[in-house]
Short mmCIF file of all heavy atoms in Angstrom, two decimals:
data_model
loop_
_atom_site.label_atom_id
_atom_site.label_comp_id
_atom_site.label_asym_id
_atom_site.label_seq_id
_atom_site.Cartn_x
_atom_site.Cartn_y
_atom_site.Cartn_z
N CYS R 353 5.77 -1.35 -14.59
CA CYS R 353 6.49 -1.16 -13.32
C CYS R 353 7.87 -1.54 -13.42
O CYS R 353 8.84 -0.80 -13.31
CB CYS R 353 5.73 -1.81 -12.12
SG CYS R 353 4.36 -0.75 -11.50
N GLN R 354 8.03 -2.89 -13.65
CA GLN R 354 9.41 -3.46 -13.75
C GLN R 354 10.21 -2.84 -14.93
O GLN R 354 11.30 -2.47 -14.85
CB GLN R 354 9.33 -4.99 -13.87
CG GLN R 354 9.16 -5.67 -12.60
CD GLN R 354 7.73 -5.62 -12.07
OE1 GLN R 354 6.78 -5.34 -12.87
NE2 GLN R 354 7.55 -5.87 -10.81
N GLY R 355 9.45 -2.70 -16.10
CA GLY R 355 10.12 -2.14 -17.24
C GLY R 355 10.55 -0.76 -17.05
O GLY R 355 11.70 -0.29 -17.44
N THR R 356 9.63 0.18 -16.65
CA THR R 356 9.99 1.55 -16.47
C THR R 356 11.07 1.73 -15.37
O THR R 356 11.94 2.61 -15.41
CB THR R 356 8.77 2.42 -16.16
OG1 THR R 356 8.02 1.83 -15.05
CG2 THR R 356 7.89 2.54 -17.35
N THR R 357 11.02 0.84 -14.36
CA THR R 357 12.14 0.91 -13.38
C THR R 357 13.43 0.48 -13.94
O THR R 357 14.38 1.27 -13.77
CB THR R 357 11.81 -0.10 -12.23
OG1 THR R 357 10.57 0.29 -11.46
CG2 THR R 357 12.90 -0.12 -11.24
N ALA R 358 13.49 -0.55 -14.68
CA ALA R 358 14.66 -0.93 -15.41
C ALA R 358 15.19 0.19 -16.36
O ALA R 358 16.36 0.52 -16.44
CB ALA R 358 14.54 -2.13 -16.26
N TRP R 359 14.30 0.74 -17.03
CA TRP R 359 14.61 1.94 -17.99
C TRP R 359 15.21 3.02 -17.23
O TRP R 359 16.34 3.55 -17.65
CB TRP R 359 13.32 2.34 -18.65
CG TRP R 359 13.41 3.48 -19.65
CD1 TRP R 359 13.61 4.79 -19.43
CD2 TRP R 359 13.42 3.29 -21.06
NE1 TRP R 359 13.68 5.53 -20.58
CE2 TRP R 359 13.59 4.63 -21.64
CE3 TRP R 359 13.28 2.24 -21.98
CZ2 TRP R 359 13.56 4.83 -22.97
CZ3 TRP R 359 13.26 2.47 -23.29
CH2 TRP R 359 13.46 3.74 -23.85
N HIS R 360 14.57 3.50 -16.15
CA HIS R 360 15.13 4.67 -15.49
C HIS R 360 16.41 4.49 -14.65
O HIS R 360 17.19 5.27 -14.56
CB HIS R 360 14.07 5.27 -14.56
CG HIS R 360 12.98 6.01 -15.33
ND1 HIS R 360 13.38 7.12 -16.05
CD2 HIS R 360 11.69 5.85 -15.51
CE1 HIS R 360 12.16 7.67 -16.58
NE2 HIS R 360 11.15 6.88 -16.24
N ILE R 361 16.51 3.24 -14.07
CA ILE R 361 17.72 2.97 -13.30
C ILE R 361 18.94 2.91 -14.31
O ILE R 361 20.07 3.29 -13.94
CB ILE R 361 17.66 1.77 -12.41
CG1 ILE R 361 17.38 0.48 -13.22
CG2 ILE R 361 16.66 1.96 -11.29
CD1 ILE R 361 17.31 -0.79 -12.31
N LEU R 362 18.73 2.51 -15.50
CA LEU R 362 19.82 2.50 -16.46
C LEU R 362 20.08 3.86 -17.07
O LEU R 362 21.16 4.40 -17.11
CB LEU R 362 19.54 1.46 -17.57
CG LEU R 362 19.74 0.05 -17.19
CD1 LEU R 362 19.03 -0.91 -18.22
CD2 LEU R 362 21.19 -0.36 -17.10
N LYS R 363 18.94 4.42 -17.49
CA LYS R 363 19.18 5.72 -18.24
C LYS R 363 19.17 6.98 -17.45
O LYS R 363 20.02 7.79 -17.55
CB LYS R 363 17.98 5.96 -19.30
CG LYS R 363 18.19 5.11 -20.61
CD LYS R 363 17.39 5.75 -21.68
CE LYS R 363 17.87 5.33 -23.07
NZ LYS R 363 17.26 6.04 -24.20
N THR R 364 18.23 7.13 -16.53
CA THR R 364 18.12 8.32 -15.69
C THR R 364 19.01 8.29 -14.52
O THR R 364 19.68 9.40 -14.22
CB THR R 364 16.69 8.50 -15.19
OG1 THR R 364 15.69 8.30 -16.35
CG2 THR R 364 16.40 9.77 -14.50
N SER R 365 19.03 7.25 -13.85
CA SER R 365 19.93 7.15 -12.60
C SER R 365 21.36 6.84 -12.87
O SER R 365 22.30 7.59 -12.35
CB SER R 365 19.22 6.15 -11.60
OG SER R 365 17.95 6.47 -11.25
N ALA R 366 21.63 5.75 -13.52
CA ALA R 366 22.95 5.41 -13.87
C ALA R 366 23.60 6.14 -15.11
O ALA R 366 24.79 6.20 -15.18
CB ALA R 366 23.02 3.84 -14.13
N ARG R 367 22.74 6.68 -15.87
CA ARG R 367 23.30 7.38 -17.11
C ARG R 367 24.23 6.60 -17.88
O ARG R 367 25.33 6.98 -18.15
CB ARG R 367 23.73 8.85 -16.71
CG ARG R 367 22.76 9.64 -16.03
CD ARG R 367 23.24 10.97 -15.55
NE ARG R 367 22.23 11.85 -15.01
CZ ARG R 367 22.35 13.02 -14.38
NH1 ARG R 367 23.62 13.53 -14.50
NH2 ARG R 367 21.38 13.67 -13.80
N ILE R 368 23.82 5.44 -18.22
CA ILE R 368 24.70 4.38 -18.85
C ILE R 368 25.28 4.98 -20.07
O ILE R 368 24.52 5.69 -20.84
CB ILE R 368 23.96 3.09 -19.13
CG1 ILE R 368 24.91 2.04 -19.63
CG2 ILE R 368 22.72 3.25 -19.94
CD1 ILE R 368 24.14 0.70 -19.74
N GLN R 369 26.56 4.71 -20.30
CA GLN R 369 27.24 5.12 -21.52
C GLN R 369 27.65 3.94 -22.37
O GLN R 369 27.88 2.82 -21.81
CB GLN R 369 28.55 5.86 -21.17
CG GLN R 369 28.27 7.18 -20.38
CD GLN R 369 27.38 8.11 -21.12
OE1 GLN R 369 27.65 8.48 -22.26
NE2 GLN R 369 26.28 8.63 -20.45
N PRO R 370 27.72 3.98 -23.73
CA PRO R 370 28.05 2.89 -24.60
C PRO R 370 29.39 2.30 -24.09
O PRO R 370 30.37 2.99 -23.77
CB PRO R 370 28.25 3.53 -25.92
CG PRO R 370 27.24 4.70 -25.84
CD PRO R 370 27.40 5.28 -24.53
N GLY R 371 29.32 0.97 -24.09
CA GLY R 371 30.62 0.21 -23.68
C GLY R 371 30.82 -0.03 -22.19
O GLY R 371 31.74 -0.80 -21.85
N GLU R 372 30.02 0.58 -21.36
CA GLU R 372 30.26 0.43 -20.02
C GLU R 372 29.84 -1.01 -19.44
O GLU R 372 28.88 -1.56 -20.03
CB GLU R 372 29.49 1.43 -19.08
CG GLU R 372 30.09 2.81 -19.29
CD GLU R 372 29.51 3.82 -18.26
OE1 GLU R 372 28.25 3.81 -18.14
OE2 GLU R 372 30.22 4.53 -17.71
N SER R 373 30.57 -1.41 -18.46
CA SER R 373 30.19 -2.72 -17.83
C SER R 373 29.00 -2.57 -16.91
O SER R 373 28.98 -1.55 -16.18
CB SER R 373 31.37 -3.45 -17.16
OG SER R 373 31.89 -2.45 -16.23
N VAL R 374 28.12 -3.55 -16.76
CA VAL R 374 26.94 -3.38 -15.99
C VAL R 374 26.66 -4.73 -15.25
O VAL R 374 26.72 -5.69 -15.85
CB VAL R 374 25.70 -3.04 -16.78
CG1 VAL R 374 24.41 -2.95 -15.86
CG2 VAL R 374 25.89 -1.73 -17.58
N VAL R 375 26.45 -4.61 -13.94
CA VAL R 375 26.04 -5.76 -13.15
C VAL R 375 24.59 -5.66 -12.87
O VAL R 375 24.16 -4.59 -12.45
CB VAL R 375 26.90 -5.88 -11.76
CG1 VAL R 375 26.21 -6.94 -10.81
CG2 VAL R 375 28.33 -6.28 -12.07
N VAL R 376 23.87 -6.73 -13.11
CA VAL R 376 22.42 -6.75 -12.83
C VAL R 376 22.19 -7.86 -11.83
O VAL R 376 22.33 -9.04 -12.17
CB VAL R 376 21.52 -6.98 -14.11
CG1 VAL R 376 20.04 -7.10 -13.80
CG2 VAL R 376 21.83 -5.95 -15.17
N HIS R 377 21.96 -7.48 -10.61
CA HIS R 377 21.60 -8.40 -9.55
C HIS R 377 20.19 -8.98 -9.68
O HIS R 377 19.29 -8.20 -10.26
CB HIS R 377 21.72 -7.86 -8.19
CG HIS R 377 23.22 -7.58 -7.72
ND1 HIS R 377 24.12 -8.69 -7.76
CD2 HIS R 377 23.99 -6.52 -7.38
CE1 HIS R 377 25.28 -8.22 -7.34
NE2 HIS R 377 25.17 -6.93 -7.14
N ALA R 378 19.95 -10.19 -9.21
CA ALA R 378 18.57 -10.82 -9.42
C ALA R 378 18.12 -10.62 -10.79
O ALA R 378 16.96 -10.24 -11.09
CB ALA R 378 17.59 -10.09 -8.52
N ALA R 379 18.98 -11.14 -11.74
CA ALA R 379 18.75 -10.91 -13.17
C ALA R 379 17.66 -11.72 -13.79
O ALA R 379 17.23 -11.51 -14.95
CB ALA R 379 20.09 -11.21 -13.98
N ALA R 380 17.10 -12.71 -13.09
CA ALA R 380 15.93 -13.47 -13.55
C ALA R 380 14.65 -12.90 -13.00
O ALA R 380 13.59 -13.40 -13.38
CB ALA R 380 16.13 -14.91 -13.09
N GLY R 381 14.69 -11.91 -12.20
CA GLY R 381 13.52 -11.30 -11.65
C GLY R 381 12.85 -10.34 -12.49
O GLY R 381 13.21 -10.20 -13.77
N GLY R 382 11.76 -9.74 -12.14
CA GLY R 382 10.88 -8.88 -12.92
C GLY R 382 11.66 -7.65 -13.49
O GLY R 382 11.74 -7.57 -14.80
N VAL R 383 12.38 -6.95 -12.69
CA VAL R 383 13.24 -5.83 -13.14
C VAL R 383 14.46 -6.31 -13.86
O VAL R 383 14.88 -5.89 -14.89
CB VAL R 383 13.58 -4.84 -12.00
CG1 VAL R 383 14.56 -3.85 -12.50
CG2 VAL R 383 12.37 -4.26 -11.46
N GLY R 384 15.17 -7.29 -13.18
CA GLY R 384 16.44 -7.79 -13.66
C GLY R 384 16.42 -8.34 -15.10
O GLY R 384 17.25 -8.11 -15.86
N SER R 385 15.40 -9.24 -15.29
CA SER R 385 15.28 -9.79 -16.66
C SER R 385 15.07 -8.78 -17.78
O SER R 385 15.47 -9.00 -18.93
CB SER R 385 14.11 -10.81 -16.69
OG SER R 385 12.85 -10.25 -16.47
#
Side-chain angles (χ1 to χ4, degrees):
C353 280
Q354 281 75 20
T356 51
T357 295
W359 182 282
H360 282 297
I361 58 181
L362 284 163
K363 277 204 163 188
T364 308
S365 300
R367 298 179 183 177
I368 186 174
Q369 299 299 309
E372 287 191 316
S373 55
V374 179
V375 168
V376 180
H377 287 303
V383 174
S385 59

